[in-house]
Coordinates of all heavy atoms in Angstrom, one line a residue:
M1 N 0.8 -1.2 0.0 CA 0.0 0.0 0.0 C 0.8 1.3 0.0 O 1.9 1.3 0.6 CB -0.9 0.0 1.2 CG -2.4 0.3 1.0 SD -3.3 0.6 2.4 CE -3.8 -1.0 2.8
P2 N 0.5 2.3 -0.7 CA 1.2 3.6 -0.7 C 1.3 4.1 0.8 O 0.4 3.9 1.6 CB 0.4 4.6 -1.5 CG -0.6 3.8 -2.2 CD -0.8 2.4 -1.5
T3 N 2.4 4.7 1.0 CA 2.7 5.3 2.4 C 3.0 6.8 2.3 O 3.8 7.2 1.4 CB 3.9 4.5 3.0 OG1 3.6 3.2 3.0 CG2 4.1 5.0 4.5
V4 N 2.5 7.5 3.2 CA 2.7 9.0 3.4 C 3.6 9.1 4.6 O 3.4 8.5 5.6 CB 1.5 9.7 3.5 CG1 1.8 11.2 3.5 CG2 0.6 9.5 2.3
R5 N 4.8 9.8 4.4 CA 5.7 10.1 5.6 C 5.8 11.5 5.9 O 5.8 12.3 4.9 CB 7.0 9.4 5.2 CG 6.9 8.0 4.8 CD 8.3 7.2 4.8 NE 8.6 6.8 6.1 CZ 9.8 7.0 6.7 NH1 10.8 7.6 6.1 NH2 9.9 6.5 8.0
L6 N 6.1 11.8 7.1 CA 6.3 13.2 7.6 C 7.5 13.2 8.5 O 7.5 12.6 9.5 CB 5.0 13.7 8.4 CG 5.1 14.9 9.2 CD1 5.4 16.2 8.3 CD2 3.9 15.1 10.1
N7 N 8.4 14.1 8.2 CA 9.5 14.5 9.1 C 8.9 15.6 10.0 O 9.2 16.8 9.7 CB 10.7 14.8 8.3 CG 11.8 15.3 9.3 OD1 11.7 15.2 10.4 ND2 12.9 15.7 8.6
R8 N 8.2 15.3 11.0 CA 7.5 16.3 11.8 C 8.5 17.2 12.5 O 8.2 18.4 12.7 CB 6.6 15.6 12.8 CG 5.6 16.6 13.4 CD 4.5 15.8 14.2 NE 3.5 16.7 14.7 CZ 3.6 17.6 15.7 NH1 4.7 17.6 16.4 NH2 2.7 18.4 16.0
E9 N 9.6 16.7 12.8 CA 10.5 17.5 13.6 C 11.0 18.8 12.8 O 11.2 19.8 13.4 CB 11.8 16.7 13.9 CG 12.7 17.3 14.9 CD 13.8 16.3 15.2 OE1 13.5 15.1 15.5 OE2 15.0 16.8 15.2
D10 N 11.1 18.6 11.5 CA 11.6 19.7 10.7 C 10.4 20.6 10.0 O 10.7 21.4 9.2 CB 12.4 19.2 9.6 CG 13.8 18.8 10.1 OD1 14.1 19.0 11.3 OD2 14.6 18.1 9.4
C11 N 9.2 20.2 10.4 CA 8.0 21.1 9.8 C 8.1 22.5 10.5 O 8.4 22.6 11.7 CB 6.7 20.4 10.3 SG 5.3 21.4 10.2
I12 N 8.0 23.4 9.6 CA 8.0 24.8 10.1 C 6.6 25.4 10.3 O 6.5 26.7 10.6 CB 8.9 25.7 9.1 CG1 8.2 25.7 7.7 CG2 10.3 25.2 9.1 CD1 8.8 26.8 6.8
G13 N 5.6 24.6 10.1 CA 4.2 25.0 10.4 C 3.7 26.0 9.5 O 2.8 26.9 9.8
C14 N 4.0 25.9 8.2 CA 3.4 26.8 7.2 C 1.9 26.5 7.0 O 1.2 27.4 6.5 CB 4.2 26.8 6.0 SG 3.6 25.7 4.7
S15 N 1.5 25.3 7.2 CA 0.1 25.0 7.2 C -0.5 24.8 5.7 O -1.7 24.5 5.6 CB -0.9 25.9 8.0 OG -1.1 27.1 7.2
A16 N 0.4 24.8 4.8 CA -0.1 24.5 3.4 C -0.7 23.2 3.2 O -1.7 23.0 2.5 CB 1.0 24.7 2.4
C17 N -0.1 22.2 3.8 CA -0.6 20.8 3.8 C -2.0 20.7 4.2 O -2.9 20.0 3.7 CB 0.3 19.8 4.5 SG 0.6 20.2 6.2
A18 N -2.3 21.2 5.4 CA -3.7 21.2 6.0 C -4.6 21.9 5.2 O -5.8 21.6 5.1 CB -3.5 21.8 7.4
G19 N -4.2 23.1 4.5 CA -5.0 23.8 3.7 C -5.4 23.0 2.4 O -6.6 23.1 1.9
I20 N -4.5 22.2 1.8 CA -4.8 21.6 0.5 C -5.3 20.1 0.7 O -6.0 19.6 -0.2 CB -3.5 21.6 -0.3 CG1 -3.8 21.6 -1.8 CG2 -2.6 20.5 0.0 CD1 -2.8 22.1 -2.7
C21 N -5.0 19.5 1.8 CA -5.5 18.1 2.1 C -6.0 17.9 3.6 O -5.4 17.2 4.2 CB -4.3 17.2 1.7 SG -4.7 15.5 1.7
P22 N -7.0 18.7 3.9 CA -7.5 18.7 5.3 C -8.0 17.3 5.8 O -8.0 17.1 7.0 CB -8.5 19.7 5.3 CG -9.0 19.8 3.9 CD -7.9 19.5 3.0
S23 N -8.3 16.4 4.9 CA -8.8 15.1 5.5 C -7.7 14.3 6.0 O -7.8 13.4 6.8 CB -9.5 14.3 4.3 OG -8.8 14.3 3.2
F24 N -6.4 14.6 5.7 CA -5.2 13.9 6.2 C -4.3 14.7 7.1 O -3.7 14.2 7.9 CB -4.4 13.4 5.1 CG -5.0 12.1 4.5 CD1 -6.0 12.2 3.5 CD2 -4.7 10.8 5.0 CE1 -6.6 11.0 3.0 CE2 -5.3 9.7 4.4 CZ -6.2 9.8 3.4
W25 N -4.4 16.1 6.9 CA -3.5 17.0 7.6 C -4.1 18.0 8.5 O -5.1 18.6 8.0 CB -2.5 17.7 6.6 CG -1.8 16.7 5.7 CD1 -2.2 16.1 4.6 CD2 -0.5 16.1 6.0 NE1 -1.3 15.2 4.1 CE2 -0.2 15.2 4.9 CE3 0.4 16.3 7.0 CZ2 1.0 14.5 4.9 CZ3 1.5 15.6 7.0 CH2 1.9 14.7 6.0
A26 N -3.7 18.2 9.7 CA -4.3 19.2 10.6 C -3.2 19.9 11.4 O -2.3 19.2 11.9 CB -5.3 18.6 11.5
M27 N -3.3 21.2 11.5 CA -2.4 21.8 12.4 C -2.6 21.5 13.9 O -3.7 21.4 14.4 CB -2.4 23.3 12.2 CG -2.1 23.8 10.8 SD -0.5 23.1 10.2 CE 0.7 23.9 11.2
N28 N -1.5 21.4 14.7 CA -1.6 21.1 16.1 C -1.3 22.4 16.8 O -0.3 23.0 16.7 CB -0.5 20.0 16.4 CG -0.7 19.6 17.8 OD1 -0.8 20.4 18.8 ND2 -0.5 18.3 18.0
N29 N -2.3 22.8 17.6 CA -2.2 24.1 18.2 C -1.1 24.2 19.3 O -0.7 25.2 19.8 CB -3.5 24.5 18.8 CG -4.6 24.8 17.8 OD1 -4.2 25.2 16.7 ND2 -5.9 24.6 18.1
E30 N -0.8 23.0 19.8 CA 0.2 23.0 20.9 C 1.6 23.4 20.4 O 2.4 24.0 21.2 CB 0.2 21.6 21.5 CG -1.1 21.4 22.4 CD -1.0 20.1 23.2 OE1 0.0 19.5 23.3 OE2 -2.1 19.8 23.8
D31 N 2.0 22.9 19.3 CA 3.4 23.3 18.9 C 3.4 23.8 17.5 O 4.5 24.1 16.9 CB 4.3 22.0 18.9 CG 3.8 20.9 18.1 OD1 2.8 21.0 17.3 OD2 4.5 19.8 18.2
N32 N 2.3 24.1 16.9 CA 2.2 24.8 15.6 C 2.8 24.0 14.5 O 3.4 24.5 13.5 CB 2.8 26.2 15.6 CG 1.8 27.2 16.1 OD1 0.5 27.1 15.9 ND2 2.1 28.2 16.9
K33 N 2.9 22.7 14.6 CA 3.3 21.8 13.6 C 2.1 21.0 13.0 O 1.1 21.0 13.7 CB 4.4 20.9 14.0 CG 5.7 21.5 14.4 CD 6.7 20.6 15.0 CE 8.0 21.2 15.4 NZ 9.1 21.2 14.4
T34 N 2.3 20.4 12.0 CA 1.2 19.5 11.3 C 1.1 18.2 12.0 O 2.2 17.6 12.4 CB 1.3 19.5 9.9 OG1 0.1 19.1 9.3 CG2 2.4 18.6 9.4
D35 N -0.1 17.7 12.0 CA -0.2 16.1 12.3 C -0.7 15.5 11.1 O -1.7 16.0 10.4 CB -1.2 16.0 13.5 CG -0.7 16.4 14.8 OD1 0.5 16.2 15.1 OD2 -1.5 16.9 15.6
L36 N -0.1 14.3 10.8 CA -0.6 13.5 9.8 C -1.6 12.5 10.5 O -1.1 11.6 11.3 CB 0.5 12.7 9.1 CG 0.1 11.6 8.1 CD1 -0.8 12.2 6.9 CD2 1.5 11.0 7.5
K37 N -2.9 12.7 10.3 CA -3.9 12.1 11.1 C -3.7 10.5 11.1 O -3.7 9.9 10.0 CB -5.3 12.4 10.7 CG -5.6 13.9 10.7 CD -7.0 14.2 10.2 CE -7.2 15.7 10.0 NZ -8.6 16.0 9.6
G38 N -3.6 10.0 12.3 CA -3.6 8.5 12.3 C -2.2 7.9 12.1 O -2.1 6.7 12.2
A39 N -1.2 8.7 11.9 CA 0.1 8.2 11.6 C 0.8 7.7 12.9 O 0.5 8.2 13.9 CB 0.9 9.3 10.9
E40 N 1.7 6.8 12.7 CA 2.5 6.3 13.7 C 4.0 6.7 13.6 O 4.5 6.7 12.3 CB 2.3 4.9 13.9 CG 0.9 4.4 14.2 CD 0.8 3.1 14.8 OE1 1.7 2.4 14.9 OE2 -0.4 2.8 15.2
K41 N 4.7 6.8 14.5 CA 6.1 7.2 14.5 C 7.0 5.9 14.2 O 6.8 4.9 14.8 CB 6.6 7.8 15.8 CG 7.8 8.6 15.7 CD 8.1 9.4 17.0 CE 9.2 10.5 16.7 NZ 9.3 11.4 17.9
A42 N 7.8 6.0 13.1 CA 8.6 5.0 12.7 C 9.9 5.0 13.4 O 10.2 6.0 14.2 CB 8.9 5.1 11.2
Q43 N 10.8 3.9 13.2 CA 12.0 3.9 14.0 C 12.9 5.1 13.6 O 13.8 5.5 14.5 CB 12.7 2.6 13.7 CG 12.1 1.4 14.4 CD 13.0 0.2 14.4 OE1 13.8 0.1 13.5 NE2 12.8 -0.7 15.4
D44 N 12.9 5.6 12.4 CA 13.7 6.7 12.0 C 13.2 8.0 12.5 O 13.8 9.1 12.1 CB 14.0 6.7 10.5 CG 12.7 6.9 9.7 OD1 11.7 7.1 10.3 OD2 12.8 6.8 8.4
G45 N 12.1 8.1 13.2 CA 11.6 9.3 13.8 C 10.6 9.9 12.9 O 9.9 10.9 13.3
W46 N 10.4 9.5 11.6 CA 9.4 10.0 10.8 C 8.0 9.4 11.1 O 8.0 8.3 11.7 CB 9.6 9.7 9.3 CG 10.7 10.5 8.7 CD1 12.0 10.6 9.1 CD2 10.7 11.3 7.4 NE1 12.8 11.5 8.3 CE2 12.0 11.9 7.2 CE3 9.7 11.5 6.5 CZ2 12.3 12.6 6.2 CZ3 10.0 12.4 5.4 CH2 11.3 12.9 5.3
F47 N 6.9 10.2 10.9 CA 5.6 9.6 11.1 C 5.2 9.0 9.8 O 5.5 9.6 8.7 CB 4.6 10.7 11.5 CG 4.7 11.1 13.0 CD1 5.7 11.9 13.4 CD2 3.9 10.5 13.9 CE1 5.9 12.2 14.8 CE2 4.0 10.8 15.3 CZ 5.0 11.7 15.7
E48 N 4.4 7.9 9.9 CA 4.0 7.3 8.5 C 2.6 6.7 8.6 O 2.2 6.3 9.7 CB 5.0 6.3 8.0 CG 5.3 5.1 8.9 CD 6.4 4.3 8.3 OE1 7.2 4.8 7.5 OE2 6.5 3.1 8.6
L49 N 1.9 6.8 7.5 CA 0.6 6.2 7.4 C 0.4 5.6 6.0 O 0.7 6.2 5.0 CB -0.4 7.5 7.5 CG -1.9 7.2 7.4 CD1 -2.5 6.5 8.6 CD2 -2.6 8.5 7.2
E50 N -0.2 4.4 6.0 CA -0.6 3.7 4.8 C -1.9 4.3 4.3 O -2.8 4.5 5.1 CB -0.7 2.3 4.9 CG 0.7 1.5 5.2 CD 0.5 0.1 5.2 OE1 -0.6 -0.5 5.4 OE2 1.6 -0.6 5.0
V51 N -1.9 4.6 3.0 CA -3.2 5.2 2.4 C -3.7 4.4 1.2 O -2.9 3.7 0.6 CB -2.9 6.7 2.0 CG1 -2.6 7.5 3.2 CG2 -2.0 6.9 0.9
E52 N -4.9 4.6 0.9 CA -5.4 4.0 -0.4 C -5.1 4.7 -1.6 O -4.7 6.0 -1.5 CB -7.0 4.0 -0.2 CG -7.6 3.4 0.9 CD -7.5 1.9 0.9 OE1 -7.4 1.3 -0.1 OE2 -7.6 1.3 2.1
E53 N -5.1 4.1 -2.7 CA -4.7 4.7 -4.0 C -5.5 6.0 -4.2 O -5.0 7.0 -4.7 CB -5.0 3.7 -5.2 CG -4.0 2.6 -5.2 CD -2.7 2.8 -5.8 OE1 -2.6 3.8 -6.5 OE2 -1.7 2.1 -5.4
R54 N -6.8 6.0 -3.8 CA -7.6 7.1 -4.1 C -7.2 8.3 -3.3 O -7.6 9.4 -3.5 CB -9.1 6.8 -3.8 CG -9.4 6.4 -2.3 CD -10.9 6.3 -2.1 NE -11.1 5.9 -0.7 CZ -11.2 4.6 -0.3 NH1 -11.1 3.6 -1.1 NH2 -11.4 4.4 1.0
D55 N -6.4 8.1 -2.3 CA -6.0 9.2 -1.3 C -4.6 9.7 -1.7 O -4.0 10.7 -1.1 CB -6.0 8.8 0.1 CG -7.5 8.5 0.6 OD1 -8.3 9.2 0.2 OD2 -7.6 7.5 1.3
L56 N -4.0 9.2 -2.8 CA -2.7 9.7 -3.1 C -2.6 11.0 -3.7 O -1.8 11.8 -3.3 CB -2.1 8.7 -4.3 CG -1.5 7.4 -3.7 CD1 -1.2 6.5 -4.9 CD2 -0.3 7.7 -2.9
E57 N -3.6 11.5 -4.5 CA -3.6 12.8 -5.1 C -3.5 13.8 -4.1 O -2.7 14.8 -4.2 CB -4.8 12.8 -6.0 CG -4.9 14.1 -6.8 CD -3.7 14.4 -7.7 OE1 -3.1 13.4 -8.2 OE2 -3.2 15.6 -7.9
C58 N -4.4 13.8 -3.2 CA -4.4 14.8 -2.1 C -3.1 14.9 -1.3 O -2.6 16.0 -1.1 CB -5.6 14.4 -1.1 SG -5.9 15.4 0.3
N59 N -2.6 13.8 -1.1 CA -1.3 13.8 -0.3 C -0.1 14.2 -1.1 O 0.9 14.7 -0.7 CB -1.1 12.4 0.3 CG -1.9 12.2 1.6 OD1 -1.8 12.9 2.6 ND2 -3.0 11.4 1.6
R60 N -0.2 13.9 -2.5 CA 0.8 14.4 -3.3 C 0.8 15.9 -3.5 O 1.8 16.5 -3.6 CB 0.6 13.7 -4.8 CG 1.1 12.4 -4.8 CD 1.8 12.2 -6.3 NE 2.0 10.7 -6.4 CZ 1.1 9.8 -6.9 NH1 -0.1 10.3 -7.3 NH2 1.4 8.6 -7.0
Q61 N -0.4 16.4 -3.4 CA -0.4 17.9 -3.5 C 0.1 18.5 -2.2 O 0.9 19.5 -2.2 CB -2.0 18.3 -3.6 CG -2.5 18.0 -5.0 CD -4.0 18.4 -5.0 OE1 -4.6 18.9 -4.1 NE2 -4.5 18.1 -6.2
A62 N -0.1 17.8 -1.0 CA 0.6 18.2 0.2 C 2.1 18.2 0.1 O 2.8 19.1 0.5 CB 0.1 17.5 1.4
E63 N 2.5 17.1 -0.5 CA 4.0 16.9 -0.7 C 4.5 18.0 -1.5 O 5.5 18.6 -1.3 CB 4.3 15.5 -1.3 CG 5.7 15.2 -1.7 CD 5.8 14.0 -2.5 OE1 5.0 13.6 -3.2 OE2 6.8 13.2 -2.2
D64 N 3.8 18.4 -2.6 CA 4.3 19.4 -3.6 C 4.3 20.8 -2.9 O 5.2 21.5 -3.2 CB 3.4 19.4 -4.9 CG 3.7 18.2 -5.7 OD1 4.7 17.4 -5.5 OD2 2.9 17.9 -6.6
V65 N 3.3 21.1 -2.1 CA 3.1 22.4 -1.6 C 4.1 22.7 -0.3 O 4.3 23.9 0.0 CB 1.6 22.6 -1.2 CG1 1.3 22.0 0.1 CG2 1.3 24.0 -1.5
C66 N 4.6 21.7 0.3 CA 5.3 21.9 1.5 C 6.7 22.6 1.1 O 7.5 22.1 0.3 CB 5.7 20.6 2.2 SG 6.7 20.9 3.7
P67 N 7.0 23.7 1.7 CA 8.2 24.5 1.3 C 9.5 23.9 1.8 O 10.6 24.3 1.4 CB 7.9 25.9 1.9 CG 7.1 25.6 3.1 CD 6.2 24.5 2.7
V68 N 9.4 23.0 2.7 CA 10.6 22.5 3.4 C 10.8 21.0 3.1 O 11.6 20.3 3.7 CB 10.8 22.8 4.8 CG1 11.1 24.3 5.0 CG2 9.5 22.4 5.6
D69 N 9.9 20.5 2.2 CA 10.0 19.1 1.8 C 10.1 18.0 2.9 O 10.9 17.1 2.9 CB 11.3 18.8 0.9 CG 11.2 19.5 -0.5 OD1 10.0 19.7 -0.9 OD2 12.2 19.9 -1.0
V70 N 9.2 18.2 3.9 CA 9.2 17.2 5.0 C 8.1 16.2 4.9 O 7.9 15.3 5.6 CB 9.1 17.9 6.3 CG1 10.2 18.8 6.6 CG2 7.8 18.7 6.5
I71 N 7.4 16.2 3.7 CA 6.3 15.3 3.4 C 6.8 14.4 2.2 O 7.2 14.9 1.1 CB 5.0 15.9 3.0 CG1 4.5 16.7 4.2 CG2 4.0 14.9 2.5 CD1 3.3 17.6 3.8
K72 N 6.7 13.1 2.3 CA 7.1 12.2 1.2 C 6.0 11.2 1.0 O 5.5 10.6 1.9 CB 8.4 11.5 1.6 CG 9.7 12.3 1.8 CD 10.1 13.0 0.6 CE 11.2 13.9 0.9 NZ 11.5 14.9 -0.1
V73 N 5.6 11.0 -0.3 CA 4.6 10.0 -0.7 C 5.4 8.8 -1.4 O 6.1 9.1 -2.3 CB 3.5 10.5 -1.6 CG1 2.6 9.5 -2.0 CG2 2.7 11.7 -0.8
I74 N 5.3 7.6 -0.9 CA 6.0 6.6 -1.4 C 5.1 5.5 -1.9 O 4.1 5.1 -1.1 CB 6.9 5.9 -0.3 CG1 7.9 6.9 0.2 CG2 7.6 4.7 -0.7 CD1 8.3 6.6 1.6
Q75 N 5.2 5.0 -3.1 CA 4.4 4.1 -3.7 C 5.0 2.7 -3.9 O 6.2 2.6 -4.1 CB 3.9 4.4 -5.1 CG 2.6 5.2 -5.1 CD 2.0 5.4 -6.4 OE1 2.6 6.3 -7.1 NE2 1.0 4.7 -6.8
Ligands
LIG1 FE1 4.7 21.7 7.9 FE2 5.2 21.5 5.3 FE3 2.7 21.2 6.3 S1 6.1 22.9 6.8 S2 2.7 22.5 8.1 S3 4.5 19.9 6.7 S4 3.3 22.2 4.4

């Protein structure tokens, strides 16, 4: 299954991901970084979530719009 990954530590909180793909991304008011909803932290410290094919487009847009490239969509 395709996987979406987030290097949350390096997120600068620009919120573009949450704006373009709100069903998967939401800003966290506590630290002003984004949350990838339902994701779990992997051993390398990135958060990751398996998604359906139909959800790739929205997450690809989030990947494209992030100014610091902390979102990766892997197929
Ligand atoms: Fe952070 Fe990039 Fe989203 S900086 S808030 S992951 S667009």
Side-chain angles (χ1 to χ4, degrees):
M1 230 193 268
T3 302
V4 182
R5 307 194 83 223
L6 165 68
N7 176 4
R8 194 172 187 279
E9 194 174 313
D10 288 347
C11 166
I12 61 168
C14 94
S15 81
C17 54
I20 208 160
C21 189
S23 48
F24 283 86
W25 301 89
M27 298 309 293
N28 186 317
N29 291 333
E30 287 188 9
D31 59 6
N32 278 326
K33 291 176 183 263
T34 193
D35 286 325
L36 174 56
K37 299 177 187 180
E40 297 199 354
K41 202 167 191 177
Q43 283 195 338
D44 62 3
W46 286 55
F47 283 82
E48 59 184 24
L49 178 71
E50 289 187 343
V51 299
E52 304 288 339
E53 293 280 335
R54 64 173 177 267
D55 295 320
L56 277 174
E57 182 60 30
C58 178
N59 283 292
R60 280 217 190 89
Q61 289 177 2
E63 178 184 37
D64 288 345
V65 82
C66 178
V68 288
D69 289 333
V70 296
I71 298 172
K72 301 289 177 205
V73 176
I74 299 159
Q75 261 188 291

